[in-house]
Amino acid sequence: LLLLDEPTASLDPIACRCVQEMILEHKGEKTFMLCTHILSEAELLCDTISIMVRGNIYTVGTPQYLTQKFGTEYKIDIMLDDASENSQKKINNFFSKELPFANLTITRPASRIYSVPASKIKMSSLFLLLEKGQTENNGYKYFTFSTSSLERVFMAIVRISEQQEEELSDLEDNYLEHDG
């Protein structure tokens, strides 16, 4: 069992990568407990992640579970058939009709990047919709999409815990006013 507290925090990128590779090389042979504020590192190295808020463990799960449960958006990267006005028109129509809640974040002549709120559609449904749209000639060759990063998940968890704390404080205030 190896306990590592911020093992790469003050290292240069090369030394940081060496430490990460050492952990990955011995993963499965040894158990590592890693405390880090570098969430991309936790996502790379850890099978299970505990997220602490104000000194208390708020949630525990795999990186995939945490991004699925607390992720706030999907990023969709679309490669158009070409840079023609026709392809651009087709993709605009497709998103207007099928994903009207998607936000166009980056527009390039032959590609688009959209942000889709995770609360509006399940990941599996989004994939099937995009796959169907591709086969039905909606102006794009291929697509990729990803879930929120662990950093965004952490920020969402902090917001949720703050809201819960406010609600609890309001309940306590109401209790004291009526019973006080």
Side-chain angles (χ1 to χ4, degrees):
L1 174 66
L2 289 139
L3 302 173
L4 305 172
D5 186 15
E6 301 284 347
T8 62
S10 61
L11 300 178
D12 65 75
I14 294 170
C16 177
R17 188 66 194 151
C18 286
V19 169
Q20 291 171 346
E21 286 174 0
M22 182 271 310
I23 292 169
L24 290 170
E25 181 181 326
H26 296 286
K27 198 174 180 180
E29 301 167 15
K30 303 194 181 314
T31 299
F32 293 89
M33 289 186 72
L34 176 69
C35 177
T36 183
H37 289 91
I38 306 169
L39 296 175
S40 60
E41 183 173 69
E43 195 165 16
L44 169 71
L45 299 175
C46 300
D47 296 325
T48 304
I49 296 173
S50 298
I51 293 182
M52 295 181 74
V53 178
R54 287 185 282 291
N56 296 304
I57 293 177
Y58 187 84
T59 189
V60 178
T62 65
Q64 298 82 3
Y65 167 79
L66 295 173
T67 55
Q68 187 173 2
K69 180 165 172 101
F70 297 101
T72 57
E73 67 184 12
Y74 304 118
K75 185 183 98 172
I76 303 170
D77 200 335
I78 301 276
M79 179 59 69
L80 303 181
D81 290 336
D82 51 44
S84 73
E85 194 174 312
N86 186 44
S87 290
Q88 293 174 21
K89 197 179 239 185
K90 283 181 177 181
I91 195 69
N92 291 340
N93 289 338
F94 174 76
F95 270 83
S96 292
K97 181 182 171 199
E98 301 293 339
L99 294 162
F101 43 82
N103 296 315
L104 180 60
T105 57
I106 297 177
T107 303
R108 295 187 184 107
S111 67
R112 301 279 188 275
I113 296 179
Y114 292 88
S115 172
V116 175
S119 61
K120 297 284 188 181
I121 188 169
K122 289 183 179 180
M123 184 188 306
S124 57
S125 299
L126 179 60
F127 181 81
L128 291 172
L129 182 65
L130 290 169
E131 196 172 59
K132 182 178 178 229
Q134 183 180 1
T135 59
E136 292 178 351
N137 191 22
N138 282 290
Y140 60 100
K141 298 186 238 196
Y142 67 85
F143 66 91
T144 62
F145 73 89
S146 57
T147 58
S148 295
S149 67
L150 213 47
E151 281 87 1
R152 284 184 181 241
V153 166
F154 179 78
M155 296 308 293
I157 289 171
V158 168
R159 275 192 303 280
I160 291 167
S161 73
E162 287 171 350
Q163 288 170 347
Q164 288 174 340
E165 196 170 283
E166 283 178 27
E167 289 168 7
L168 184 59
S169 178
D170 290 346
L171 284 173
E172 288 173 349
D173 289 347
N174 277 341
Y175 178 78
L176 292 173
E177 282 177 18
H178 295 297
D179 284 357

